[in-house]
Amino acid sequence: MKKYFPLIALALLSILPLIGLSTYMMHIVILVVMWSIIGMAWNLLGGYCGQVSFGHAAYFGVGAYTAGILYSKLGASPWWGVLLSIVVVTIFSFILGYVVLRLRGPFFALATLASGEVMRVTAENWVGFTGGTLGIMVHERTWVEKIWYYYIILLIAAVTYFLVKKLVESKLGYYFVAIREDQDAAESLGINTTLYKTIALCISGVLTGIAGAFYMNYMGYIDPHVVFALHDISIITIMIVMVGGVATYWGPFVGAVIMVFLAEWVRSIPGLGAAHQTLFGVLLIVIIIFLPNGIVGDYKKLKRLVGLGRTS
Amino acid sequence: MTAVQIEVFLQTLIAGLLLGGLYALIGLGMTLIMGVMKIINLAHGELMMVAMYIAYWMFVLFHIDPYLSVFIATPLLFFLGVAIQKFLINPVLKVESILPENQVILTVGIGMVLASLATMFFKSDYRSTPVSYATDAFYLSDYWKSSPIELSVSVPWSISFVIAVLITAALWFFLAKTDTGKSIRATAQDLDAALLMGVNVKLMRVATFGIGAGLVGAAGCLFIPIYYLFPALGGQFTLIAFVITILGGLGSTVGAIIGGLILGVFESMTATYIGMGWAPVGRFVIFVACLIFLPGGVASLLRKKRFGK
Amino acid sequence: MRRLTLAVVLSFVLSLFATALYAADTLDLSIPLPLTGGQAKFGEMEKRSYEIAAEEINAKGGIKGKKVVLTFEDSQGKPEISRAIAEKLIDVKKQPVLVGEYSSSCSKAIAAVANERKTPYLVVTGADDSITQQHYKYVFRLNPSNAYYATGLISFLKEVVKPKSIAILYESSDFGTSGAEDMAKQAEKMGMKVLVKEKYEKGAVDFKPILSKVKAARPDVIYMVSYVMDASLFMKQIKELRIDAKLFAGGAAGFAIPEFIDNAKDAAEYVVTATLWSPQVKYPGAKEFAEKYKKKYADYPSYHGAEAYSALYILKDVLTRAKSMNPEDIRAAMKATNMVTAFGPIKFEDKEGYQNQNFMDTLVLQVMKGEHETIWPKQYASKKYIYPIPTWRERR
């Protein structure tokens, strides 16, 4: 049963549009799926390999700009950007990884944070290539209907899920976890830590970049403040994984549901005004304090907590 | 070099040094917190914002000069910091989790709550304390009549700078000479050894977070006469604090001061000679360069010199 | 546990559909605005202005006898949330017309959705030129596009100041960039030399390095495009450095809000700024609106407030004229708009590469004795301009 759970979930998700959701709900669902891809990608690097990146906006933005520049400079459909971004982001991740992967712990975190910001300011200033702060706008999006976008992003998500699962359950996955638990020990056992960290970073970056290219197609407009955002992209990504469950398969999905779906719901509570952010912030604090490994990671604990609540 | 070029250069240098002094104070709180507790505190800028609101309301309601508010905001922020550490961060540090970085997300949540509370209570209006001396400055030509070049040094910037230096000196004295200060430094250097030597590590951590918050609170009071205030202002100062912390070396007071000055001068020079739009890139480039080539920051250079190594 | 889950799910579903269940004798309008985050200040100002307009309209019998009920949705200045709101309003609430948003990037997100879903959308403050250059049939813009913000100021420069050189400093946002690009083009057309053209990251603390560079270049005019309080920092630091230009000019936004004078104090004197509107314009209702706003919130509104206030009056006019409440008829009525609001005359035209764009005269304000006064064009002037302006030394 448990073995088939992912397939059942996928089947359920793929018939979701057939029950007649409003375009508003479809938009939210698409965002949830997109964010869970980014979450899964981050999880591979952060959750399994232990390299906590604060700069996933860099990959997201490079992916989005690959599609955008393809459209604005060559007049090609930005959908080709989804494919091209695989190449571009791989090269980009490799170069970036060469620089930042020498660092450890908080230093790595801060260096990645800086890399995201550097990319943002570069995109702002390189006006001839990126269009600067005016951004890139697609004149007409491919479809009005959301269903195609949904199936495309769902397909990417499914591929991401199985790829991450395969990787983690392979020999590579064990190396990743070994690096996370004790890098020095892993090295002394003969694991080429730099190599495996680079692999994790590249795959993680590429998956995030694909999501970025999709974002360009879906939203039809990008500018540096939107796609290279520190808070709205990089940190939200980490929150999705941390809230959902670090180093779990389903954590990013659960996290995305909370960070997008629940956030939208809290935002929509009538009469709350600016207070919705306070409420949501408090919710995050509570989750981190009581479920430090996230909802999926601490599922048993969560069950116990709720169970206690019922008997008393 | 013509006189004009020299004037531009010197004026840029002055601006950079003054800015750097203030940056240093923001970085000091961060460097302590990161050094002692290895915590990345993403709510640092929001704490500064809270202090600025305190200074603002003191100015509006009781006509207290923002510089005097240092004595009000710093203790208040100290207690706020202690409370955050004790009731929110400590419980998270205590439990076993796969990634210790979840405390970072906790500080993000804290920052979010602080910023949105400020929006709720004080609205999102831009505020400032228009002190009477806001645009006063010392001019070189007032003192040296036949000077070929004109330089100016702003009065509020200079006061802020001097106070920042005084606070830094006081902190250095506290860390170097008092028992509590020594215990904090011991905790930063080697947690286990400090424990064995009978240092109350738990207390030191709480105190450190409090002091770090107090310092950034003081920085807020020094910033408000020359800057302005709104609820979402925190983020950019958090980033600056990071850069300085890394430049200076974790937990090093002297390092943070030098790091702040380097950053201030570097940013000003970039703005004048390359373009102000690139100044943030410059900031992060030295940041990353320092991470790679000088991982211990300025502090490691100082140490090498001292031990003749 | 199960009951709890059920309750949560139920309340969630209800909250989504509750809005659709209002009685029919009210007209519900939801307006997306940034109410938290860095742009919240302007969102807040617009929200207040919409509310004042709704109050007035309701006191006079509402729109077609229906009471206007406004709700506001916080977009946080993020395009994907703006889009979510737009989708919700169109699809769930079945609102036949959209209005609002503050920044260009959020307005673009809504405009694309509105046009795809064939629902008219009135852009209120998003200024990026490209919004009304996309051949969108359903997108109308009340404010002039960015390229026109400074037309008044340029004619003032041409006729009064006649400068030979200019320095342009601008914020690295879409608003700042397009404002600066346009000014640079116009300046060259007028035979001015652009000596310095520099951008800065918003939130910068210290402008003195760049200002000393400007000082060394000795431009006749210093033109600054700043969103918010950077404007007052600029003037304070210019005063400190005693940079004497023939004219200090601002490109709307930060220079045109009352906080500019409150904060820069005497450094703000004689500064001129382009603006779209001022409380002194002689359009009907302009002064009353400004006074009402000031009485309630202690400060005058900037042009953003007037735009929001007038937007609701335009909607009233459009919905009264529309044959029915379906989007097609509303679009037709919107296209035929020809009215005068507190913000100025409104007419949506297709010309100069724009579609459904409102064109209007833009004004020049000058700070005199701590107040914004309208000085240009002459027919709108509340006071005569002061030019040449005294140097910093003479002001002591």
Side-chain angles (χ1 to χ4, degrees):
Chain A
M1 177 63 201
K2 209 170 174 192
K3 206 170 137 198
Y4 296 111
F5 183 62
L7 291 175
I8 296 169
L10 183 63
L12 283 178
L13 279 172
S14 51
I15 56 165
L16 191 65
L18 304 179
I19 62 169
L21 291 174
S22 67
T23 57
Y24 165 57
M25 289 310 291
M26 282 303 287
H27 174 68
I28 302 294
V29 172
I30 288 173
L31 287 183
V32 167
V33 179
M34 187 189 88
W35 277 112
S36 42
I37 293 173
I38 305 172
M40 286 188 274
W42 188 92
N43 203 14
L44 184 68
L45 179 68
Y48 293 106
C49 199
Q51 309 299 308
V52 176
S53 156
F54 274 71
H56 259 49
Y59 313 104
F60 184 81
V62 169
Y65 265 97
T66 307
I69 290 167
L70 201 62
Y71 171 80
S72 69
K73 293 289 168 213
L74 300 175
S77 159
W79 285 110
W80 290 110
V82 177
L83 293 178
L84 185 65
S85 67
I86 297 175
V87 181
V88 175
V89 180
T90 308
I91 299 169
F92 173 74
S93 314
F94 190 78
I95 299 170
L96 196 63
Y98 183 75
V99 179
V100 296
L101 281 175
R102 314 156 164 242
L103 305 163
R104 290 191 188 185
F107 295 100
F108 175 82
L110 292 175
T112 49
L113 185 146
S115 67
E117 289 291 287
V118 168
M119 289 311 294
R120 176 174 63 77
V121 186
T122 309
E124 268 171 28
N125 283 279
W126 198 355
V127 179
F129 192 55
T130 61
T133 45
L134 292 178
I136 298 171
M137 193 173 182
V138 174
H139 179 60
E140 209 167 287
R141 291 195 280 244
T142 326
W143 301 289
V144 176
E145 289 303 319
K146 296 226 160 36
I147 192 152
W148 293 110
Y149 293 105
Y150 177 70
Y151 282 125
I152 289 173
I153 196 72
L154 191 62
L155 178 73
I156 301 173
V159 171
T160 307
Y161 176 87
F162 289 109
L163 180 70
V164 169
K165 197 165 156 63
K166 267 266 140 7
L167 274 173
V168 170
E169 283 164 9
S170 73
K171 215 167 157 189
L172 230 55
Y174 289 99
Y175 291 154
F176 289 166
V177 175
I179 293 171
R180 179 186 77 198
E181 292 303 322
D182 193 332
Q183 191 173 327
D184 295 321
E187 197 139 352
S188 62
L189 284 174
I191 297 175
N192 184 348
T193 54
T194 317
L195 175 72
Y196 293 113
K197 282 199 289 185
T198 311
I199 292 174
L201 181 83
C202 284
I203 297 174
S204 177
V206 166
L207 293 172
T208 312
I210 293 174
F214 171 82
Y215 180 91
M216 171 71 205
N217 279 287
Y218 178 62
M219 288 299 288
Y221 171 75
I222 50 168
D223 69 35
H225 285 281
V226 173
V227 293
F228 288 116
L230 171 63
H231 194 272
D232 295 345
I233 307 272
S234 296
I235 290 181
I236 297 278
T237 306
I238 308 172
M239 286 172 131
I240 282 174
V241 183
M242 294 267 177
V243 167
V246 173
T248 59
Y249 295 130
W250 287 96
F253 184 73
V254 174
V257 169
I258 295 208
M259 293 300 296
V260 180
F261 212 73
L262 199 64
E264 175 66 16
W265 181 45
V266 172
R267 195 188 64 72
S268 305
I269 298 175
L272 210 52
H276 72 87
Q277 286 229 316
T278 317
L279 200 64
F280 195 65
V282 169
L283 182 76
L284 282 179
I285 294 176
V286 169
I287 291 180
I288 295 290
I289 289 183
F290 289 104
L291 305 169
N293 286 321
I295 293 175
V296 177
D298 279 333
Y299 182 64
K300 283 196 184 122
K301 195 175 167 192
L302 180 70
K303 236 159 105 180
R304 212 171 51 232
L305 282 174
V306 176
L308 272 179
R310 192 171 48 183
T311 49
S312 66
Chain B
M1 257 199 199
T2 62
V4 177
Q5 278 171 326
I6 292 170
E7 183 183 318
V8 171
F9 179 78
L10 288 178
Q11 190 73 60
T12 308
L13 189 67
I14 292 172
L17 288 175
L18 290 179
L19 184 66
L22 289 176
Y23 275 1
L25 194 54
I26 302 178
L28 269 179
M30 175 78 87
T31 203
L32 268 187
I33 293 173
M34 258 178 97
V36 176
M37 296 190 288
K38 314 289 182 260
I39 278 185
I40 296 179
N41 176 20
L42 279 176
H44 203 63
E46 273 78 14
L47 290 173
M48 178 165 157
M49 183 251 331
V50 172
M52 287 169 89
Y53 269 107
I54 294 172
Y56 171 78
W57 286 111
M58 288 296 151
F59 180 80
V60 172
L61 299 177
F62 308 113
H63 305 286
I64 296 175
D65 193 282
Y67 289 123
L68 291 176
S69 289
V70 171
F71 297 104
I72 301 163
T74 310
L76 285 177
L77 262 284
F78 176 82
F79 289 116
L80 180 64
V82 165
I84 288 177
Q85 164 70 15
K86 211 164 171 184
F87 299 114
L88 298 176
I89 297 180
N90 256 349
V92 174
L93 287 180
K94 249 189 281 171
V95 291
E96 275 290 309
S97 59
I98 299 175
L99 287 181
E101 277 83 357
N102 57 3
Q103 50 78 19
V104 183
I105 299 309
L106 181 71
T107 62
V108 173
I110 295 169
M112 227 166 118
V113 170
L114 288 177
S116 66
L117 282 178
T119 316
M120 270 165 65
F121 288 121
F122 310 129
K123 299 285 171 220
S124 41
D125 293 324
Y126 295 101
R127 318 211 183 230
S128 64
T129 56
V131 284
S132 54
Y133 48 83
T135 51
D136 292 351
F138 307 109
Y139 296 97
L140 184 64
S141 59
D142 291 353
Y143 301 97
W144 179 19
K145 284 277 177 298
S146 60
S147 153
I149 56 172
E150 171 71 311
L151 292 177
S152 63
V153 182
S154 156
V155 171
W157 279 80
S158 322
I159 301 177
S160 293
F161 182 81
V162 171
I163 298 179
V165 170
L166 290 179
I167 292 174
T168 316
L171 180 75
W172 180 82
F173 180 80
F174 168 75
L175 286 178
K177 305 288 169 203
T178 65
D179 282 348
T180 322
K182 283 177 184 165
S183 306
I184 288 178
R185 277 167 53 221
T187 314
Q189 275 164 12
D190 193 330
L191 189 80
D192 296 326
L195 259 174
L196 287 175
M197 301 308 288
V199 172
N200 186 343
V201 170
K202 218 169 155 192
L203 185 71
M204 286 311 128
R205 289 185 149 182
V206 173
T208 311
F209 205 97
I211 295 170
L215 283 171
V216 80
C221 298
L222 301 187
F223 251 93
I224 195 164
I226 54 172
Y227 200 56
Y228 53 90
L229 169 62
F230 62 104
L233 136 153
Q236 67 190 77
F237 290 106
T238 309
L239 287 183
I240 290 170
F242 277 138
V243 179
I244 294 165
T245 305
I246 297 300
L247 263 180
L250 287 187
S252 160
T253 329
V254 185
I257 299 163
I258 299 175
L261 290 176
I262 293 176
L263 184 70
V265 173
F266 187 80
E267 269 189 20
S268 299
M269 289 294 166
T270 324
T272 306
Y273 294 105
I274 297 176
M276 198 161 169
W278 288 100
V281 172
R283 182 191 300 166
F284 289 115
V285 167
I286 50 169
F287 178 61
V288 174
C290 179
L291 274 173
I292 293 166
F293 300 113
L294 194 65
V298 176
S300 65
L301 286 184
L302 293 175
R303 221 170 291 134
K304 263 183 203 160
K305 212 165 181 188
R306 199 177 302 153
F307 297 124
K309 201 177 166 187
Chain C
M1 168 71 188
R2 194 167 292 162
R3 202 178 276 171
L4 185 80
T5 329
L6 195 70
V8 169
V9 170
L10 257 183
S11 64
F12 178 51
V13 172
L14 275 181
S15 76
L16 282 179
F17 293 101
T19 39
L21 300 172
Y22 273 111
D25 57 337
T26 59
L27 183 75
D28 293 303
L29 273 179
S30 282
I31 300 173
L33 282 175
L35 298 174
T36 53
Q39 303 165 346
K41 145 100 200 152
F42 291 96
E44 187 85 34
M45 186 199 277
E46 289 188 38
K47 177 174 174 241
R48 293 167 180 171
S49 307
Y50 283 120
E51 278 168 348
I52 292 177
E55 231 167 68
E56 289 177 10
I57 290 174
N58 284 337
K60 286 186 193 137
I63 298 178
K64 277 183 163 174
K66 286 182 185 170
K67 198 165 157 266
V68 182
V69 180
L70 295 184
T71 45
F72 296 91
E73 296 250 4
D74 179 15
S75 70
Q76 303 165 24
K78 297 183 198 167
E80 62 267 26
I81 295 186
S82 299
R83 180 168 178 187
I85 296 169
E87 306 264 13
K88 177 158 128 191
L89 297 185
I90 295 172
D91 212 58
V92 181
K93 277 190 78 181
K94 311 276 182 225
Q95 189 170 307
V97 57
L98 301 180
V99 61
E101 234 343 304
Y102 165 71
S103 70
S104 291
S105 45
C106 290
S107 300
K108 281 175 191 167
I110 296 183
V113 174
N115 200 57
E116 280 175 3
R117 314 271 301 163
K118 304 199 180 345
T119 307
Y121 168 43
L122 181 61
V123 180
V124 182
T125 43
D128 189 351
D129 299 343
S130 65
I131 297 176
T132 42
Q133 291 175 332
Q134 303 289 324
H135 297 277
Y136 284 154
K137 212 174 138 197
Y138 293 86
V139 177
F140 297 81
R141 180 155 54 183
L142 147 73
N143 58 311
S145 92
N146 220 330
Y148 292 85
Y149 270 47
T151 43
L153 181 65
I154 286 166
S155 90
F156 178 71
L157 289 182
K158 253 186 208 163
E159 288 177 37
V160 181
V161 185
K162 300 185 180 89
K164 300 224 161 33
S165 57
I166 188 168
I168 301 173
L169 304 173
Y170 61 102
E171 187 199 283
S172 63
S173 63
D174 49 357
F175 177 77
T177 312
S178 53
E181 295 297 332
D182 189 65
M183 180 49 101
K185 248 184 263 162
Q186 297 286 345
E188 263 161 34
K189 240 188 242 166
M190 284 156 62
M192 279 192 258
K193 241 196 182 151
V194 181
L195 297 176
V196 179
K197 184 161 159 270
E198 287 272 5
K199 71 175 119 186
Y200 65 90
E201 179 102 325
K202 75 162 177 269
V205 183
D206 191 10
F207 295 101
K208 271 170 268 176
I210 195 126
L211 286 174
S212 31
K213 194 163 142 190
V214 169
K215 187 181 183 187
R218 294 181 187 283
D220 285 352
V221 176
I222 301 177
Y223 181 67
M224 295 155 278
V225 193
S226 308
Y227 241 128
V228 281
M229 298 289 266
D230 311 336
S232 54
L233 287 189
F234 258 132
M235 283 321 296
K236 282 204 269 191
Q237 296 181 5
I238 283 178
K239 186 190 165 199
E240 257 172 58
L241 293 177
R242 286 190 181 155
I243 304 177
D244 285 310
K246 282 188 185 165
L247 191 73
F248 302 102
F255 288 87
I257 57 176
E259 279 94 336
F260 169 57
I261 304 176
D262 294 346
N263 190 25
K265 295 267 168 187
D266 55 333
E269 276 301 289
Y270 310 113
V271 173
V272 303
T273 174
T275 190
L276 304 177
W277 180 85
S278 83
Q280 295 129 0
V281 291
K282 293 176 185 80
Y283 303 123
K287 198 164 172 250
E288 289 77 2
F289 161 63
E291 293 303 332
K292 208 178 264 177
Y293 189 100
K294 184 173 168 134
K295 217 169 119 195
K296 239 178 162 164
Y297 303 109
D299 231 337
Y300 281 116
S302 68
Y303 62 88
H304 307 91
E307 285 167 341
Y309 174 82
S310 304
L312 208 60
Y313 273 95
I314 296 173
L315 273 198
K316 178 184 182 229
D317 180 72
V318 166
L319 293 179
T320 317
R321 281 184 294 107
K323 273 188 249 131
S324 75
M325 284 298 272
N326 84 43
E328 275 315 313
D329 290 331
I330 294 176
R331 194 203 87 85
M334 189 93 96
K335 187 77 190 163
T337 305
N338 187 0
M339 67 180 296
V340 180
T341 64
F343 181 60
I346 307 290
K347 216 177 183 181
F348 299 108
E349 295 175 277
D350 300 340
K351 66 175 190 194
E352 295 171 31
Y354 293 91
Q355 299 87 38
N356 302 333
Q357 171 67 51
N358 179 40
F359 293 88
M360 61 191 296
D361 289 335
T362 58
L363 314 175
V364 181
L365 305 179
Q366 188 168 30
V367 181
M368 295 179 192
K369 301 208 173 67
E371 294 287 336
H372 271 128
E373 299 285 351
T374 316
I375 54 160
W376 199 267
K378 273 186 191 138
Q379 67 266 32
Y380 300 109
S382 63
K383 271 204 179 135
K384 192 174 162 19
Y385 56 82
I386 301 177
Y387 183 84
I389 61 171
T391 63
W392 294 108
R393 270 170 193 281
E394 287 162 10
R395 293 192 199 183
R396 298 214 117 200

